Every structure is written in structure tokens, then in C-alpha cells.
Amino acid sequence: MQPISFARSFLSKGLSKSVGKASVASAVLQPAILIGVLGCAISVNAQAAVGASTNNDNPTNGLQLISLNADEIADENDADNLSNIADMLDVADEPDDSIDSVPDDSALTDDADDIDTEIPAEVAQVSLNAISPETLKTFVAVVDLVRRQYVDAVNDEELFSNAMSGMLTKLDSHAEFLDAEAYENLRAFTEGDVGDIGIKVNYQPEAGYWVVTEVIDDSPADKKGIAVGDYLHQVDEFKLDEGRQVNDVEQLLTGIAGTQVDIITSKAGRRKHTTTLQRNNSHPQIIETKLVDGIAIVKLPAFQNNSREKLLEGLINLNAPISGILLDMRDNPGGVLTSAVSVASLFMDDTDVVQVQARQNKSRVLSTQGDAILKPLPLVVLQNRYSASAAEVLASSLQAQKRATIIGEVSYGKGSVQSVIPLNDEQAVKLTVANYMTVAGKQIDEIGVEPDVTLSGSENTWEQKALELVKARALDSGIRFVRKNATKE
């Protein structure tokens, strides 16, 4: 598999497909992309991310997905002895010192001088036979029991895929096993896709529940058996009641294409159950720009590889003088971390934006690069409780430098970094490898960014309130942005 270049730093959940049975034990996994989104974050090679920021045409140029070399993968024939339940039980009784763990080089950079990638001594070089034979027997017995007794026939590939997925999701809510579709959607997100699970819901007072009113054919929800009339009780850790708004629930179900979400549903009068779905019902996102009384209102839905360029293009297309900017990042789930840094570079020069802290307490600081084209313009940032990850990085850095006024409500509080590690051409693992903090060293994860001006009530009025704040600081004479090759009339 050839390395695949990415133009942005955000990746989401999702690699799942069957993996060569013995390949994982001997493969050296290498991280490719760092993400920052609601419920997930993508890790980017930090060294590439810093260098990429110097290229104004492509701020994330140089980011790559790194494939595993053929000689790093165990011979698939070695797994044939584990092809059935009986053999697996036998193997569980026999020690095998030849299968050892390999130090994981996963980190933000390949430069060992910057990040310590050594496996802690207590878990390094642990032989597989250190796992209790009883534990292995129990696992195999559970698989066998499901195969024989579960109400529906279950494919073995699906069982083992679910086992790998469960192992990762038990680590934290952002780690996951990505199948081919989720992996591709995650890569597509770098070009502008946000996804959902393909349902519409409304609160029905007579039932006292949120009820599924529409299921898109062949969507992730449809494939998992979610049907019109089902009750929706919870999305991830958020319980739903009559106090929620439709927009709240939609934003909980929406995120970076390829990421996963857990929902708790029930048939009327039946037991609740949890379903894990990937947001593979993707749809392109665009940066919307409009001019109101000389103020450019820019709606930034997510951070993608071309966000900086699209933002500037939107300002140019206004074809009018601009005396201030309102940057609306409500419901922005994050995205490519280096994209957030490149957008920050439009407003500030020579400024530290974020600290990325990996294992062993070593950290790297990402800073603005290039000309701060929009530095003269007053700036107000609008956020809500669903503004997350890379959106919080940008807001916190602008706030710390007193470059912008943050208005709205406390943001989501997503401050961990995930590395998307390819296993093969179609599968990957998204694993939390670092945290990011404000340049002042303040934690973002589970805390969020406090606004300078707090808003409450209907969000329909927030834009106007933010607009009034920008107007009070607007330039006396605006700035018109044109393309370099524009012809003078």
C-alpha cells in the first residue's frame, strides 16, 4: 500500500474488517493522522504538522498514512492452526514463547529525540503465554456458545471484529476499530464530509419519548435494524428527555464521517438495547460566508484540509469591503488539528496555538506560520456546547492572545488526540495517543473553553447578539480582499 497524502489533520473512528489472524502480533504499528473532533481526535505526525504549516497553499502537506511493510506482517499460514474452536482450545494450553509483543512506535513524531516512544517496562516484551490459559479458554468458550446458542446465526468474522472493537472502545470513548467503509469515510472527511447515522427523530409528548420518525434506506441505522417508531433514549453518554431540542439531538448524532456513536433504543414496551453505529451517511460541508452591514459572517462547520483556503475564498467572493469578522463555530466537532493552526495563522503571527502532550510528559507546541492576513480585522467567535476539539484549540488560542472575544456557552471539552494507525489497505485502529492543552498549559478535555460573554436561551438570537458586538468594534473603513491575479478595471 502506497503512503496516502492527507491535506488535513482530523480523522475519525472506524476501521473494522477481518485482519490476518497472526498479523497483529508481529506488526509494528505506525501512526498517520491526528484528529480532533467531537467524540474523537485524529493524530497527525507532529513533525509533519509543524512543517506543513509553512506551506500556505497546502497547510497540511506532508501528512501521510503509513502502510505496514510486507515483511512486518506474519505469514497468514501461521494462523491456520487457529481456524477452528477445537484447535484454539488446544493452543490455549500450550506455551508459545515465539509470539511476543513488539514495541509500539506510535507517537506524534518519528523523531525519538522529541517523543519517547518506548513501551513501559511493565508491559514490554510480554509473551502471549503470560495470558492465563483459563482466560483464553473462556474467550473461546464464549465464541463457541454464541455460535451455537445465539438466536440468530452469527458470522465468525463479525464476532472477532466485534471483539476487537470492544477491546478498543473499553479503553476510552474515542478508540475504535475501523472497517473499510468507516476508514474511507474518515479519509473522505479530509475533503469535506460530515456524517450521521441516517435517522430523524422528534419528541412526542404523548409517548413521553424521542421517537424515530425517519430512517434513510441503506443507512447505518437501517442496516442495524433501527426502525420508524423506535424510541431513542440516549446518544453516547447523553440521556434524552423533553428538555432537549431537535438541534441538540441532531448534533449528537452528527460528527466526522466515519466516527462511531452508541445509541440506546427500544421498541415500544420492550427492553432497551445499545447499538454502535458509524456515521457513514456522509454529506459534504461548505464554509458559508455572508456580509451584513460590512461584517463578514463565516460559518465554519469543521476543520478540513482546505479550510484556510475556503475561508479566504469566501471573503474574496463577498467582493466588498469588510470591517470585521464573526466566526461562527457552533456545532463544529473539530477536525484536522493542523488546519485549526493554519486558520489561527490568518489572525495571529508568531503565536503559539496549542500544546500536544504525549506519553512521558513530553510535549510539542504548534505555532502560527506565515502572514496573518486578517490581523487588522476585529474578530468575534461564536461557540456552543457542541464546539469541540480543534474548534476549542482555535478559540482558546485566540482568547489567550486577546485576539478575539469568545461568545456563547462553554464548549464541549474534547482534548485528546487520536492516531489513526493503518493495519492494511482497508482497516485501521484509532487510538488515543496524546492530549492537547492551551498554550498556557490549561486542560481542555472534560472542561471546555469558557466564553468571554455567555449567551443563553434560543440560539436563533445568538448570531444577532454576536453581530452587534463585532459592529461596536468595526473598522471605520473596511478591507476588500481580491485574488492576486485579479485585473484592475
Side-chain angles (χ1 to χ4, degrees):
M1 177 177 69
Q2 296 297 319
I4 301 174
S5 296
F6 277 81
R8 60 185 278 182
S9 65
F10 178 82
L11 285 178
S12 200
K13 307 177 175 183
L15 289 176
S16 73
K17 274 209 165 183
S18 60
V19 180
K21 297 167 188 155
S23 65
V24 176
S26 63
V28 178
L29 303 180
Q30 302 188 36
I33 301 179
L34 286 174
I35 305 174
V37 298
L38 181 61
C40 78
I42 299 174
S43 72
V44 192
N45 179 296
Q47 192 171 23
V50 174
S53 297
T54 61
N55 185 334
N56 290 333
D57 293 330
N58 189 350
T60 53
N61 185 35
L63 295 180
Q64 293 181 328
L65 283 177
I66 304 172
S67 64
L68 297 176
N69 295 326
D71 58 0
E72 292 175 336
I73 300 177
D75 187 347
E76 292 183 358
N77 293 330
D78 293 343
D80 290 343
N81 293 330
L82 301 180
S83 60
N84 58 61
I85 295 297
D87 287 341
M88 292 179 73
L89 286 169
D90 291 339
V91 171
D93 284 329
E94 299 175 3
D96 185 356
D97 292 327
S98 67
I99 305 179
D100 288 342
S101 66
V102 179
D104 184 359
D105 292 330
S106 299
L108 295 178
T109 175
D110 293 330
D111 190 344
D113 293 334
D114 295 324
I115 299 294
D116 186 352
T117 61
E118 292 184 2
I119 290 291
E122 62 270 23
V123 296
Q125 301 299 327
V126 177
S127 175
L128 183 63
N129 69 1
I131 300 174
S132 166
E134 291 302 318
T135 299
L136 294 177
K137 282 185 176 181
T138 300
F139 175 80
V140 173
V142 170
V143 172
D144 189 37
L145 180 64
V146 172
R147 294 175 69 191
R148 291 184 290 104
Q149 300 293 335
Y150 187 65
V151 62
D152 298 319
V154 182
N155 182 279
D156 285 350
E157 292 287 345
E158 182 180 358
L159 287 177
F160 278 86
S161 176
N162 290 342
M164 289 182 284
S165 179
M167 173 182 65
L168 291 165
T169 55
K170 281 294 185 179
L171 294 175
D172 62 50
S173 61
H174 309 305
E176 59 183 307
F177 183 59
L178 306 176
D179 62 16
E181 185 178 10
Y183 193 18
E184 179 57 35
N185 280 328
L186 190 56
R187 288 184 278 196
F189 173 76
T190 66
E191 300 301 327
D193 286 354
V194 169
D196 57 46
I197 61 173
I199 65 173
K200 298 291 185 182
V201 296
N202 276 303
Y203 184 77
Q204 296 186 358
E206 64 276 12
Y209 294 102
W210 285 86
V211 178
V212 177
T213 57
E214 179 183 349
V215 179
I216 297 175
D217 290 343
D218 206 34
S219 65
D222 184 36
K223 292 177 181 177
K224 285 294 185 74
I226 305 300
V228 171
D230 288 356
Y231 293 169
L232 179 62
H233 303 278
Q234 187 169 326
V235 180
D236 284 334
E237 70 270 30
F238 299 98
K239 294 182 178 180
L240 306 184
D241 55 28
E242 68 277 6
R244 296 278 181 182
Q245 301 296 316
V246 172
N247 182 63
D248 289 336
V249 181
E250 287 181 353
Q251 291 307 318
L252 290 173
L253 295 171
T254 301
I256 303 220
T259 58
Q260 73 181 24
V261 60
D262 292 331
I263 63 172
I264 296 179
T265 61
S266 70
K267 308 294 182 183
R270 298 186 182 180
R271 188 168 55 184
K272 298 177 183 178
H273 66 278
T274 301
T275 305
T276 299
L277 298 167
Q278 290 171 337
R279 297 180 176 101
N280 291 343
N281 184 50
S282 60
H283 36 90
Q285 296 293 293
I286 60 174
I287 296 178
E288 300 176 0
T289 307
K290 63 182 179 181
L291 191 67
V292 178
D293 298 332
I295 305 301
I297 301 176
V298 180
K299 174 65 175 175
L300 186 60
F303 288 93
Q304 297 156 323
N305 63 337
N306 57 0
S307 292
R308 176 187 181 277
E309 290 72 24
K310 291 297 183 183
L311 192 157
L312 288 175
E313 182 179 342
L315 297 179
I316 292 171
N317 290 339
L318 291 176
N319 194 30
I322 299 170
S323 55
I325 295 178
L326 170 56
L327 185 61
D328 188 347
M329 294 199 297
R330 287 177 294 176
D331 305 327
N332 183 320
V336 184
L337 185 58
T338 51
S339 176
V341 175
S342 70
V343 171
S345 299
L346 292 173
F347 299 98
M348 305 179 292
D349 52 19
D350 298 324
T351 302
D352 294 339
V353 176
V354 62
Q355 292 186 47
V356 181
Q357 188 171 19
R359 196 168 56 206
Q360 307 300 334
N361 297 320
K362 293 188 177 182
S363 63
R364 175 178 288 273
V365 176
L366 303 185
S367 305
T368 60
Q369 301 287 336
D371 296 330
I373 301 171
L374 306 179
K375 187 176 181 179
L377 293 169
L379 174 66
V380 169
V381 173
L382 185 57
Q383 67 176 29
N384 65 2
R385 59 190 176 279
Y386 299 119
S387 304
S389 195
E392 294 174 294
V393 167
L394 178 58
S396 66
S397 64
L398 292 169
Q399 185 182 56
Q401 298 301 322
K402 300 187 185 303
R403 176 61 186 89
T405 298
I406 313 301
I407 183 171
E409 57 189 357
V410 178
S411 60
Y412 183 82
K414 165 65 175 66
S416 60
V417 179
Q418 282 70 46
S419 178
V420 175
I421 306 168
L423 298 174
N424 51 45
D425 286 338
E426 294 186 330
Q427 296 171 311
V429 167
K430 183 161 69 65
L431 193 66
T432 302
V433 297
N435 292 308
Y436 54 76
M437 298 179 292
T438 69
V439 291
K442 294 182 178 180
Q443 184 174 333
I444 293 176
D445 202 44
E446 299 184 356
I447 294 177
V449 177
E450 289 273 356
D452 300 304
V453 178
T454 300
L455 298 178
S456 59
S458 174
E459 287 194 32
N460 294 333
T461 65
W462 289 15
E463 181 181 292
Q464 183 59 39
K465 293 177 180 178
L467 187 60
E468 291 171 359
L469 188 57
V470 187
K471 287 180 180 180
R473 305 171 183 181
L475 300 178
D476 292 335
S477 59
I479 300 174
R480 184 191 296 266
F481 295 94
V482 297
R483 293 179 177 83
K484 289 182 178 181
N485 60 356
T487 303
K488 294 183 179 180
E489 296 183 0

